[in-house]
Amino acid sequence: MIALCDGVEIGYDDVGTGMPVAFIHGFPHNRTLWAPQVSALVDRARCIAPDLRGFGESSRHGPFSIDQFADDVAMLLRLLGIERPVVVGLSMGGYVAFALWRRHREMVRALVLADTRAGVDSEETRAKRIALMEVARTRGSGAVADGQIVGMIGKSTRAKRPALIDDVHRMLGSASVEGICGALESMLGRADSIPTLPTIDVPTLVIVGAEDVLTPVSEAEILRDAIRGSRLEVIEQAGHVSNLERPAAFNHVLSEFLAALDYE
Ligand code: MLT
């Protein structure tokens, strides 16, 4: 489906009934990232999965920033009449979740922060992002996918489920150059979310793949230690896209978390 949010088309899925859960994808993903979660939860939850602007079926034009991504998600949720969803963000989707919390916290019932980090980029990461923009502009999204796929999937999955590498590569390679460059600029310009962590006072689940090399377990521990009452679940034998690599394990901890919210 497509919604018009302030002149920008936002592609999204809105399926299922029950507790609303908004799923925010990472870089350079699209909403299909969440297919294993949406299909597992559809009987229990209303699952809303948008394509961030620049990705999937959404408009490719800016302005691009993490705050803008968060405002787009907030506007979509309001258009759909959804109040206080559980917000699930993976990696860059986690950066967007932090921005949603800062800018629209009245809308956030609970947070699930998967394979993400709160701090800003190191100088080395900044240089890599700038180089990646050049790769996107000169060689296209296929070349970006070739570079990104390496760190995206954990070593156990690479050994046991090589077909997933092709699936994820296909998703990365389908991203538009506008979206890739817009998201890279957004991540370069993003706010430090470390000071945000102690302000989070909704139930929070932190998830990380044990083999995540992009946002390792140590980053997830920073979130767990700074967010009062939060819980950390480490998914063994999974890398950065832990929700795709070990969907049953990921869905199990997510479902448990959602079920506990029902009793609040
Ligand atoms: C992602 O998966 O969204 C990216 O790894 C985030 C990043 O590059 O910081």
Side-chain angles (χ1 to χ4, degrees):
M1 285 178 278
I2 307 273
L4 198 59
C5 297
D6 211 8
V8 174
E9 291 187 350
I10 299 290
Y12 67 100
D13 290 322
D14 177 4
V15 291
T17 48
M19 182 185 294
V21 184
F23 290 94
I24 310 177
H25 65 76
F27 169 83
H29 308 152
N30 57 53
R31 68 188 199 255
T32 64
L33 175 80
W34 297 111
Q37 283 64 53
V38 171
S39 59
L41 289 173
V42 79
D43 293 335
R44 277 169 290 161
R46 181 172 175 190
C47 302
I48 300 98
D51 288 323
L52 296 175
R53 69 167 67 197
F55 297 94
E57 290 187 300
S58 293
S59 298
R60 294 182 175 188
H61 63 80
F64 286 99
S65 69
I66 295 295
D67 285 352
Q68 182 65 60
F69 288 143
D71 290 353
D72 290 345
V73 173
M75 185 172 289
L76 173 70
L77 293 170
R78 287 199 181 100
L79 266 177
L80 299 176
I82 290 164
E83 288 173 12
R84 300 199 75 218
V86 178
V87 174
V88 184
L90 184 135
S91 199
M92 184 179 77
Y95 311 158
V96 177
F98 290 132
L100 256 175
W101 175 255
R102 283 191 290 271
R103 297 166 75 79
H104 306 279
R105 73 180 58 175
E106 73 291 347
M107 297 185 73
V108 179
R109 171 153 188 211
L111 283 168
V112 179
L113 303 167
D115 299 281
T116 192
R117 60 156 49 86
V120 289
D121 295 338
S122 64
E123 280 310 313
E124 188 191 345
T125 302
R126 292 180 69 79
K128 279 189 190 158
R129 294 204 197 284
I130 291 163
L132 198 56
M133 276 191 235
E134 191 55 18
V135 170
R137 288 190 190 113
T138 55
R139 293 165 50 211
S141 54
V144 171
D146 292 345
Q148 291 295 106
I149 195 74
V150 180
M152 193 77 49
I153 294 182
K155 63 178 187 323
S156 299
T157 306
R158 283 202 299 271
K160 289 184 191 161
R161 291 179 62 201
L164 188 70
I165 302 174
D166 295 337
D167 293 346
V168 175
H169 188 281
R170 211 169 300 117
M171 173 173 65
L172 308 183
S174 73
S176 69
V177 171
E178 295 92 326
I180 290 170
C181 293
L184 286 166
E185 265 166 25
S186 302
M187 290 192 281
L188 279 166
R190 76 186 191 276
D192 185 357
S193 292
I194 294 281
T196 302
L197 302 180
T199 72
I200 296 175
D201 59 1
V202 290
T204 300
L205 171 65
V206 181
I207 305 178
V208 67
E211 299 172 2
D212 186 343
V213 292
L214 295 179
T215 48
V217 174
S218 56
E219 294 291 347
E221 287 170 346
I222 291 173
L223 305 183
R224 190 262 327 266
D225 292 346
I227 302 174
R228 247 186 326 272
S230 65
R231 202 173 88 214
L232 169 61
E233 293 283 355
V234 179
I235 311 277
E236 297 301 329
Q237 302 193 352
H240 189 58
V241 282
S242 56
N243 69 309
L244 290 179
E245 295 179 52
R246 302 265 336 268
F250 191 100
N251 292 348
H252 178 73
V253 294
L254 178 58
S255 300
E256 266 189 357
F257 179 70
L258 297 180
L261 290 176
D262 270 339
Y263 293 101
E264 287 207 330

